[in-house]
Amino acid sequence: MSTETNDPTIPFATLDPALHLEYLYGPQWAAVMRIVERAAQLTAEEREKMNAEAGKRMQDSMSALTGAAGGAGGLAGLLSGLGQPSQDPQPLQIASETAKEFGRSRNVQVAGLIAGQAVSGTAATSGELAGLLQSLGSIGTLTVVSQAVTAAVLSDLVGRGRYTQEVHDALMQPWTSVIS
């Protein structure tokens, strides 16, 4: 029996579950699910490494911003570049533009939300101060996992527009450097 149908009399339960996952995450749903499932199983050591990777990336981005702001350094240089179009867009910016261009923004948002819940687990929802502090300590991990699922959602679009293999690899690198 075929699961592909437009017949409203066939119950939703008889449809292929993969169709639901594809609706949520796009055509690369299997890759997204692998990352989400693995993110839910991160060890404390892997979280620490991801936080370090995210911190390094943030520092590199800040250095690039302050160095590229018209030669002026520090906060003044950073502020002088506000409102100016970036000559060197960041991979996440390119991914966001690509997702919008190809109708995948919702897929990226849903994947990021589910991945964030997988990383956060139940500690952040317990309402305790310890859970809140643990959640705040996972911001780097959340960033790394979010970038990885964004790259997974868009992986079939590599080579289209500005979403190059280099951009894709830059988004995935913090994840793949920790998860072998």
Side-chain angles (χ1 to χ4, degrees), residues 21 23-26 28-29 31-33 35-36 39 104-119 142 145-154:
L21 293 171
Y23 173 76
L24 290 174
Y25 304 125
Q28 301 303 313
W29 63 268
V32 174
M33 288 301 302
I35 293 170
V36 169
R104 302 265 180 95
S105 294
R106 181 185 50 78
N107 301 127
V108 167
Q109 291 169 347
V110 169
L113 177 67
I114 300 300
Q117 289 176 343
V119 168
L142 289 169
V145 173
S146 177
Q147 288 180 358
V149 294
T150 295
V153 167
L154 302 175

Side-chain angles (χ1 to χ4, degrees), residues 82-156:
L82 290 178
Q84 302 296 321
S86 175
Q87 300 300 336
D88 184 26
Q90 298 297 312
L92 203 51
Q93 178 185 353
I94 293 171
S96 177
E97 292 168 359
T98 302
K100 184 176 180 180
E101 180 181 352
F102 290 94
R104 302 265 180 95
S105 294
R106 181 185 50 78
N107 301 127
V108 167
Q109 291 169 347
V110 169
L113 177 67
I114 300 300
Q117 289 176 343
V119 168
S120 297
T122 58
T125 60
S126 68
E128 298 174 8
L129 181 59
L132 175 62
L133 293 175
Q134 181 182 354
S135 177
L136 290 174
S138 295
I139 290 175
T141 302
L142 289 169
T143 300
V144 168
V145 173
S146 177
Q147 288 180 358
V149 294
T150 295
V153 167
L154 302 175
S155 63
D156 63 317

Side-chain angles (χ1 to χ4, degrees), residues 32-52:
V32 174
M33 288 301 302
R34 280 191 298 276
I35 293 170
V36 169
E37 289 172 356
R38 182 61 177 88
Q41 301 168 6
L42 292 173
T43 66
E45 182 182 348
E46 290 169 334
R47 287 174 182 267
E48 190 175 307
K49 287 179 181 178
M50 284 188 187
N51 283 328

